[in-house]
Each structure stands twice: as C-alpha cells, then as structure tokens.
Amino acid sequence: MHGVLSEVEKLCSMLVEKKLIFSKYDELGVVVFGTEESKNDLTTEVGGYQNITVLQDIKVVDGDLVDTLQKLPRGRVDVVLDAIVVGMDMLIKKYKDLHKGKKRLCLITNAIHPIKDSFEGSKEDQVMTIAEQMAAQGMKIESIVVRGRLSRDANKGVMDENDHLLSIFSKKTRTRIVYVDTPTSLLGALKTRRVTPVTVFRGHLELSPQMKIKVWVYKKTQEEKFPTLKKYSEKAPASNKLATHQVKVSYEYKSVDGSSTSVIPPEQRIKGYRYGPQVVPISTAEWDAVKFKPEKGIKVLGFTDASKIKRHCYMKDVYLFIAEPGNTRATLAVSAIARAMKEMNAVAILRCVWRQGQQNVVVGPDSFYFNVLPFAEDVREYQFPSFNSFPASWQPNDQQQKAADELVQMLDLAPSGKEALLPEFTPNPVLERFYRHLELKAKQPDAAVPPLDETLKNIVEPDPELVAENKSVFDALHRHFELRQNPKLKKSSRQWYQEKQSGSNAHVSSGQAVNSIENQPPVKIEKIGDLTPVQDFEAMMSQRDNPEWVEKAIKELREKILALLIHSDEGDKYQKAVDCVAALRKGCILEQEPGPYNDLMHHIRQYCEEKGIKSLPQLLASRDLTLISKSEAEDSSDVTAEEARSFFVKMEPKPDV
C-alpha cells in the first residue's frame, strides 16, 4: 500500500484533528502491520505476532498523535489477522468489560495479498473465532478496502477470498465494508463521529379525522456546519488541572440618572424594536399574545402527481417517515400507501408541526422521504427573455449549438454509469481545508496558508485527465465562439466601486461614459491625501491588481481619521472625519472586515469620554454610524444588533461633576 500511504496518513491525521474539536475525550491507539520491526505486548508475552508495531497505545487524543500518524513506517509483510488480534488485546486490557458497543477497530488495507494459513483449522474458522470473540467483548470492526490502481495486477482469487473473510467480520459485528478506489473517496470513507438518529416527531399521520397512522420521523440528512470556536483564556494558572479556560461573557444594563448609575434587573427590562427613528417597546406578554401556536401533528392536505413538484423547490433537509416500530397495523398501512404512491407516481402534500407551539409550519411532499416546500412568499420568479426574441444575427448556428452540446455532455460526472465523486465518499472540501489549517495554526500561529492539497483539488478543480481527453471539445468551442470586449460596457475601476456602494447604475449615457473613460485614464492612487481622502480611499479599494491595496487603504484612512480628530480646532474637522468614517464603514462591510472599523469606533468613544467631547458622538449618531453588527458581516462580526444600537448611548460623554 506504499502508493496510498500518504493518503492514509492524511485520513488518520484528519480523524484525530476532528476528534480534538468534536470528541476531545475519545481515546485512540494506532497499530501498523507489515513493518520490519515488531513492537507489541503479545510478541513479548506469548511469542509470534511478528512485523506488527504499536505506534501509539490507547490514550486521549492530543496533538502529538497527529504528528505520529503523519509519519507511518513502511514494510513488506502482510499479517492482517495478527494485527486485528493485537488491536483486540489492547482494547481488552484497557477497558475489560466496560463500554460495550463503543469499542471500535478500523482496518485500512488493500486486501490483495494472501492471508497466511492457520495452524489449526481453516482460515475461515480462524476468522470466525476472532469475530465471535469480538462480538462477545462488544467490539466492532470497520474495514476500508483500498483497491483501484493497486489491484490491477493482483490475483482475483486471493481478493475474492479476502473479501469473503472480511465479510465474516462485518456480519458478526454488524458493521460495514467500504471499498474505495481513489484518494478522494478514501478521504471520505472514514466517518469521524457517529450521529445517533433521534426522532423529531412521534405521533399520528392524519389522512382524515377517521384514519390516522402512528409514525416516527427521523432526519435523514443534515448540513454539516463549521464548529463553533469558543474564546480561550490563559488567565487560569497552569497548575489548575480542572480549569476549562473558557470565557463567559455577561452583560449589564445600566440607567444613568443624574450622578448615580444603577443596574437594571432582568425583570425590569423590555425589548425595543426600531420603527424608523423611534424605538417601540414590546413586552414578552404581548409577543406571546400574537405568536402563532399551531397544534402538534401531521396532516395530509392532498395528493398530486410527482412531476408537478420540481426538485429545485426542495428547501431544507430530508426527513424519513417510518411506521411505529412493533406496530403491525401501522406497518401495513404505511407500506400500502407507499406502494400505491409509487405505482401512481404520486406524492402527498403534508402540513407538519413537529412540536407543540412550534412557531413555523412546514409543508412538503412525502414519498416517505419528506422535503420542505416553499410557501408563496418564498418563491422568487426570475423572467429571462427567450433566445427566439433576439435578431437572427444573434442566434447560434448549427455548429455553435453542436459545440455547446458536446461541452455539456463532456462535463457529465457519470459518463459510463459510474459517478466520479460519490456523495457518501466525497468530503466537504471547505471543512477539510479548515481542519488542516486549524491544526497548522495551533502549532505555528504565524504560519502562512498552505497550498491546496492535491486530494482536495480533485474535488474543487476540473479533472486534468478529463480535460486532456476532451481537448477537441474545447478547441471546437474556441473555434466557433469568438470573445470580444464590448467598449460600451467598459467601466473604470473607480466607477465600478462607486456603483457597488450605491447599488444603482450611474445615470449617464453610454456615449458619455465611453468618452469619459477614454479622455480620463484611471490614475493609480498609492496614498490617501489630505485634500480628498474619501475619493482616494475609494480609488485604492478599487485597485484589485494586488490584495494588499485593500489592507493599506483601510489602515491609512483609519490613521487619517485619528489625525483629523487630534488636530481639530474646536471641532472644525469633525465633519470631514465623519465623512471618512462613513466611507470606512462601507468599505469594511463590502470586504466583510469589520474589525478595523469597530476597533476605531471604540477608540473614538474612549477619546470622546476622556476629552469630554459631545458634538462628535452627535454627528456620528445623526449619520447612524454605529458598529458593524453580525447582520451586516455574518461570518466575521461578533457584535449583536442590540449592541450596535446601544453604542451611541455609551458614547455620550460623562457629565461634569
């Protein structure tokens, strides 16, 4: 397996990295077989079990285990059954009869070499004995068989025999055998964590008031999201082993009345919601009075042909409907309805309320896989003109149509009936990239972002072999379609940035725009000046030939704002500073970088409090230049909408005593 050991190292390292995030108290051990050396307890205690090395005894996952798995030794001997016995021995000695059902072995092999004969009985008898012992100890073994290019010259009879022996383990321990043939599918073969299915609903499926079927509903699919990274504190002493190092954030609401400041208890607070310039208070009791509270249950609204429910209308995760376990009548009823719907190619439209008092109701078709459908207000219809409405000179000819059709057919991921990227074996490349970068930054905080891994490139980039095989298709497309730049649509970078900020097109004719661009070539701005700092900032932000321009523009405008405040004489430069703050806020929102702007606003607040300045906070409040909240920069801001709204209250200078 030397050809794929590098991918195995990545797979096992990724497993530990994910466990450090999701299951940091899990315990792992590592056994490699086929090594030149022998290092395991059974070799010392009873003899035999050669060419098996325990790289890591079973212990709680940590960063050192990641380093161990990234440097697996190489060898030439195949002793797979002995390695399984060594793994079993480690689990038995560590846990004895504890944690039944939670002890798991994962075997990664190509299974193309013959297994050595047993001293007593056949190979099948030997495997059967091991499998029965594993079942008695509450262990499970999951086998990942890597074939593909490795098995081209292998003996098919040997592979069939090995597959049969591995299937015995699978049946006895009720686990699966996964066959993979590419590095990409290998990366997605081993699941990091087992998600136990939990019912979201247990109750009646109501077809009519007189006919109800008891069903259970599970979630079949769910989007895997980024892990929530919590704040970590180094204030706890290193000697305290029970310290969690977690940071807890609490808020106090204070009322400033004259010279005294009092904390408002929770029972005296009420939420307020902006309505134009006013804030409307709405109590919890008022919310409860108008809140929609449907009754728990699932009702069939009707049936329709499956062709009327388009796939693009499915909005959320998939749910699975089954009859109540052990209920024979419910099982027969569900089976009868499912078969009838299949024969008639029909779906049922359901109204589902999973919990009592649930605020939202979902509606969807059900072939006993449930998908949520959009309501009328969720549907967005986008009308596009037909190609037939264009003049004849714009219509594609037969050769162009053929070239476009061949390109679409070439992009098929399953041209021979075998899908190139199987969903169950294709990991999320964004998450995989995140885990690898997180592990690197944990050890080297100043490390640069590494290049994209070759395995992940196979997911996010076109297949080089596929592109090379279909070079004639691309050549035909280039030959029949000529790309030319339209001078009427050409825009300067500054005009593009200004339109992106305003969200509207400039009200000038195309002829004027062309003349303006031709007569005034864009000038590259390298520094924000004192005369027109806002215009210089916008020009620097629009220079996309180097990503450093954005960072430089934000930094220089921030320094310019602070300089205007410091050198202002009785507030004569405050208006210009506020204009710069407004430009900086827009730029940081567009780039989704709220940090520099929010830090500046906190600095301005502190400056105003120390100097007793009242006019500057009033100017900022009049322009609504508050903090950038999470609603404006969802992935990069920690400021809530309520904190942003109350920022001006905190900016009011302290009264003179």
Side-chain angles (χ1 to χ4, degrees):
M1 290 184 63
H2 292 183
V4 293
L5 273 184
S6 59
E7 305 302 331
V8 174
E9 291 170 344
K10 294 175 187 176
L11 170 66
C12 296
S13 301
M14 187 70 64
L15 171 69
V16 178
E17 290 166 8
K18 291 181 180 179
K19 283 190 175 293
L20 285 171
I21 298 174
F22 296 112
S23 310
K24 59 183 178 182
Y25 299 113
D26 280 10
E27 297 178 315
L28 260 70
V30 183
V31 178
V32 291
F33 54 95
T35 57
E36 300 296 335
E37 300 178 351
S38 302
K39 182 184 176 183
N40 62 81
D41 290 345
L42 291 181
T43 300
T44 307
E45 295 171 359
V46 299
Y49 299 96
Q50 299 295 319
N51 308 108
I52 299 173
T53 301
V54 178
L55 285 185
Q56 176 66 63
D57 288 323
I58 300 174
K59 70 171 187 176
V60 176
V61 293
D62 56 17
D64 295 336
L65 187 55
V66 178
D67 298 334
T68 301
L69 289 168
Q70 290 176 348
K71 300 174 183 178
L72 295 179
R74 271 58 173 166
R76 295 288 178 184
V77 186
D78 197 343
V79 283
V80 58
L81 290 184
D82 288 351
I84 293 174
V85 175
V86 170
M88 289 176 55
D89 178 68
M90 293 172 62
L91 288 171
I92 293 172
K93 289 178 179 177
K94 178 75 175 179
Y95 304 110
K96 297 182 174 61
D97 294 332
L98 300 176
H99 308 302
K100 283 196 173 183
K102 295 184 178 181
K103 292 174 284 190
R104 182 164 66 119
L105 291 91
C106 179
L107 172 66
I108 305 176
T109 179
N110 53 19
I112 63 176
H113 299 290
I115 296 175
K116 66 179 182 180
D117 294 326
S118 173
F119 294 111
E120 296 181 3
S122 63
K123 297 178 184 178
E124 186 171 339
D125 294 336
Q126 183 184 9
V127 171
M128 187 70 72
T129 302
I130 298 173
E132 289 175 352
Q133 182 66 19
M134 291 180 66
Q137 293 290 333
M139 299 180 192
K140 296 182 179 180
I141 180 169
E142 182 176 342
S143 303
I144 299 177
V145 181
V146 186
R147 292 275 171 80
R149 296 177 180 176
L150 295 176
S151 58
R152 287 179 179 175
D153 301 328
N155 188 318
K156 189 175 185 305
V158 173
M159 289 195 297
D160 291 341
E161 181 187 29
N162 291 340
D163 291 346
H164 171 65
L165 296 176
L166 291 177
S167 68
I168 297 175
F169 285 119
S170 177
K171 293 175 182 176
K172 288 291 182 180
T173 62
R174 296 183 180 180
T175 52
R176 62 174 188 162
I177 303 176
V178 180
Y179 292 90
V180 297
D181 55 2
T182 63
T184 303
S185 56
L186 174 62
L187 198 61
L190 185 59
K191 304 302 179 185
T192 310
R193 50 186 176 142
R194 300 293 177 186
V195 180
T196 304
V198 179
T199 55
V200 298
F201 176 85
R202 295 187 184 188
H204 289 97
L205 170 63
E206 183 178 333
L207 282 79
S208 70
Q210 293 77 30
M211 184 176 181
K212 300 179 182 179
I213 306 172
K214 287 189 176 182
V215 295
W216 286 11
V217 183
Y218 291 89
K219 258 198 173 183
K220 180 172 175 58
T221 62
Q222 186 171 357
E223 178 186 0
E224 187 175 4
K225 298 181 179 179
F226 277 91
T228 55
L229 302 181
K230 299 179 180 179
K231 294 181 179 179
Y232 182 88
S233 173
E234 296 180 347
K235 298 295 184 181
S239 58
N240 187 358
K241 297 182 179 180
L242 300 177
T244 61
H245 298 277
Q246 292 185 3
V247 179
K248 294 183 178 180
V249 181
S250 60
Y251 297 93
E252 285 187 348
Y253 295 84
K254 296 184 178 182
S255 174
V256 180
D257 185 12
S259 60
S260 63
T261 302
S262 58
V263 178
I264 303 174
E267 62 271 10
Q268 295 182 12
R269 301 176 200 159
I270 186 171
K271 286 188 176 181
Y273 299 87
R274 285 193 175 274
Y275 185 76
Q278 299 178 342
V279 177
V280 181
I282 301 178
S283 65
T284 305
E286 291 173 330
W287 266 122
D288 292 338
V290 299
K291 193 179 294 182
F292 178 52
K293 299 177 182 178
E295 293 185 2
K296 175 183 175 181
I298 300 177
K299 296 183 179 180
V300 177
L301 302 181
F303 295 88
T304 186
D305 192 87
S307 61
K308 295 182 180 179
I309 307 297
K310 303 301 181 183
R311 179 65 183 85
H312 63 268
C313 292
Y314 297 162
M315 294 184 65
K316 295 185 179 179
D317 303 319
V318 181
Y319 294 84
L320 173 66
F321 278 63
I322 65 170
E324 182 184 47
N327 190 328
T328 306
R329 298 177 64 184
T331 303
L332 291 173
V334 168
S335 176
I337 295 175
R339 291 171 182 270
M341 291 168 61
K342 178 68 174 177
E343 292 176 2
M344 300 177 66
N345 193 32
V347 295
I349 307 297
L350 305 181
R351 176 186 185 272
C352 299
V353 181
W354 307 126
R355 298 178 302 276
Q356 183 68 30
Q358 179 178 317
Q359 295 185 21
N360 60 324
V361 177
V362 293
V363 176
D366 172 32
S367 299
F368 297 91
Y369 280 139
F370 177 85
N371 287 278
V372 178
L373 290 179
F375 289 95
E377 57 267 24
D378 297 326
V379 177
R380 302 290 186 271
E381 294 289 347
Y382 297 98
Q383 300 295 331
F384 297 96
S386 172
F387 285 128
N388 295 330
S389 62
F390 293 149
S393 58
W394 292 11
Q395 300 290 338
N397 56 40
D398 294 339
Q399 292 179 333
Q400 291 175 326
Q401 186 65 54
K402 181 180 178 182
D405 292 342
E406 290 178 350
L407 176 67
V408 173
Q409 293 171 4
M410 183 271 294
L411 297 175
D412 187 2
L413 287 175
S416 59
K418 183 179 180 182
E419 195 167 358
L421 296 174
L422 293 172
E424 60 268 28
F425 295 140
T426 304
N428 186 325
V430 178
L431 285 170
E432 299 297 315
R433 177 78 160 156
F434 169 76
Y435 295 133
R436 295 185 186 183
H437 192 203
L438 183 65
E439 192 269 338
L440 176 64
K441 295 291 282 187
K443 296 178 180 178
Q444 306 175 28
D446 299 329
V449 179
L452 190 64
D453 185 77
E454 290 296 327
T455 309
L456 299 182
K457 280 185 179 180
N458 295 335
I459 302 174
V460 300
E461 295 183 359
D463 185 357
E465 295 183 3
L466 181 67
V467 174
E469 292 173 0
N470 295 274
K471 186 176 182 300
S472 60
V473 177
F474 290 102
D475 293 341
L477 195 72
H478 284 295
R479 190 166 55 251
H480 295 298
F481 289 91
E482 181 183 0
L483 298 178
R484 293 178 298 178
Q485 188 174 17
N486 189 346
K488 292 184 179 181
L489 299 179
K490 185 179 178 182
K491 297 178 182 178
S492 66
S493 56
R494 176 177 293 191
Q495 183 183 0
W496 171 86
Y497 182 81
Q498 291 173 345
E499 290 183 6
K500 186 177 181 182
Q501 281 188 311
S502 62
S504 60
N505 295 326
H507 297 286
V508 295
S509 65
S510 59
Q512 291 174 334
V514 173
N515 292 334
S516 174
I517 294 168
E518 292 177 351
N519 297 333
Q520 298 179 5
V523 179
K524 196 168 188 177
I525 303 298
E526 297 184 356
K527 186 177 181 181
I528 295 179
D530 296 329
L531 186 61
T532 56
V534 173
Q535 289 78 3
D536 294 345
F537 172 74
E538 292 174 352
M540 287 183 69
M541 292 286 284
S542 65
Q543 293 170 181
R544 298 290 166 166
D545 54 338
N546 192 329
E548 295 180 358
W549 285 115
V550 174
E551 182 180 353
K552 183 179 180 182
I554 293 175
K555 181 180 179 182
E556 288 192 7
L557 186 62
R558 187 178 184 276
E559 294 173 353
K560 187 66 65 180
I561 293 169
L562 295 175
L564 288 170
L565 298 182
I566 295 172
H567 299 99
S568 178
D569 185 14
E570 296 182 356
D572 61 332
K573 297 181 180 179
Y574 285 173
Q575 186 61 52
K576 190 172 185 178
V578 170
D579 293 337
C580 293
V581 170
L584 180 63
R585 191 176 195 277
K586 289 183 179 179
C588 288
I589 291 176
L590 286 173
E591 296 298 328
Q592 291 293 287
E593 292 288 345
Y597 172 81
N598 288 344
D599 292 342
L600 173 66
M601 294 300 289
H602 286 293
H603 185 84
I604 292 175
R605 182 178 70 184
Q606 183 180 359
Y607 178 83
C608 292
E609 290 175 351
E610 293 175 354
K611 301 293 183 180
I613 299 173
K614 299 181 180 180
S615 57
L616 181 58
Q618 292 173 356
L619 280 173
L620 292 170
S622 65
R623 297 279 294 273
D624 199 22
L625 297 177
T626 183
L627 298 177
I628 298 176
S629 65
K630 194 172 183 64
S631 61
E632 298 170 297
E634 184 176 358
D635 296 328
S636 50
S637 176
D638 296 326
V639 179
T640 64
E642 187 176 352
E643 290 175 346
R645 286 194 298 268
S646 62
F647 185 75
F648 291 123
V649 178
K650 296 180 181 179
M651 281 192 64
E652 293 180 1
K654 298 178 180 179
D656 298 331
V657 180

